[in-house]
């Protein structure tokens, strides 16, 4: 018997899921919650194998409580059932410890299959999430460090590489000096470089500046 907790702020969704699971002899709902705070209490007080959780809830969202639930109950599988498309959140949630991610428009039977897979201690990866994973891996392997920068970060990078000061760049791009410094920190991290001279050397080597 697979014990399930349901977390969703809509009572009608919880009720519908409970009714649907009741038709499957190996599934039993042991508790439900309407928000993030209740979800933490539910995991603390009820023994379960899989927690089925919405992302968007009042107060603490699924995103906010995922890490807390993982810390309190590392062995509970967490299946995110969300209205958001997979490309917006799936990778992020799985990286943060979710066992699977499904869009609410999926076939109800896919939820059951996901719960059964997760109850075995495995992750449930849909074909579309597998595609996202592959794209991300390919992008990271093939991309040069500067290709990972946002448009604005790339602008700041080129100006720094040419020897412009933060003040010059702020004026040219109509930004504050503080914002330019933030972009500099961020792009240095992304490119794994330590100084402006590193930026200049990188830009020359990759023929981005003369």
């Amino acid at each position: 018997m697979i014990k399930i907790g349901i977390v969703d702020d809509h009572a009608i969704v919880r009720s519908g899921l409970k009714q649907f699971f009741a038709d499957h002899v190996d599934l039993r709902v042991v508790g439900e919650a309407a928000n993030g705070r209740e979800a933490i209490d539910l995991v603390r007080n009820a023994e379960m194998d899989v927690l089925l959780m919405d992302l968007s809830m009042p107060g603490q969202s699924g995103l906010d409580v995922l890490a807390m639930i993982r810390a309190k109950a590392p062995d509970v599988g967490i299946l995110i059932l969300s209205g958001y498309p997979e490309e917006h959140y799936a990778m992020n949630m799985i990286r943060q410890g979710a066992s699977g991610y499904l869009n609410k428009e999926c076939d109800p039977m896919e939820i059951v299959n996901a719960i059964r897979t997760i109850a075995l201690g495995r992750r449930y990866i849909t074909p579309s999430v597998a595609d996202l994973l592959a794209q991300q891996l390919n992008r990271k392997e093939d991309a040069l460090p500067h290709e990972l920068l946002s448009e604005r970060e790339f602008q700041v990078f080129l100006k720094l590489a040419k020897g412009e000061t933060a003040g010059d760049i702020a004026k040219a791009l109509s930004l504050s000096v503080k914002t330019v410094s933030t972009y500099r920190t961020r792009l240095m991290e992304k490119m794994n470089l330590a100084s402006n001279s590193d930026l200049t050397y990188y830009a020359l080597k990759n023929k981005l500046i003369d």
Side-chain angles (χ1 to χ4, degrees), residues 38-83:
E38 288 180 13
I40 292 166
D41 289 339
L42 177 63
V43 168
R44 195 186 287 132
N45 299 323
E47 194 182 307
M48 68 186 72
D49 303 301
V50 180
L51 185 70
L52 183 63
M53 183 165 69
D54 188 12
L55 266 190
S56 178
M57 295 179 289
Q60 290 177 306
S61 70
L63 197 59
D64 298 330
V65 299
L66 179 61
M68 287 185 243
I69 291 171
R70 265 278 151 264
K72 285 184 195 310
D75 297 332
V76 172
I78 301 173
L79 175 60
I80 303 294
L81 184 63
S82 168

Side-chain angles (χ1 to χ4, degrees), residues 19 82 96 103 106 136:
Q19 269 181 300
S82 168
Q96 290 190 41
N103 187 284
C106 72
Q136 207 168 64

Side-chain angles (χ1 to χ4, degrees), residues 7 14 16 24-26 31 36-37 44 46 56 65 98 124 174 190:
V7 186
R14 299 195 305 273
H24 301 271
V25 292
D26 60 332
R37 192 180 294 277
R44 195 186 287 132
S56 178
V65 299
Y124 186 82
S174 304
K190 283 187 182 179

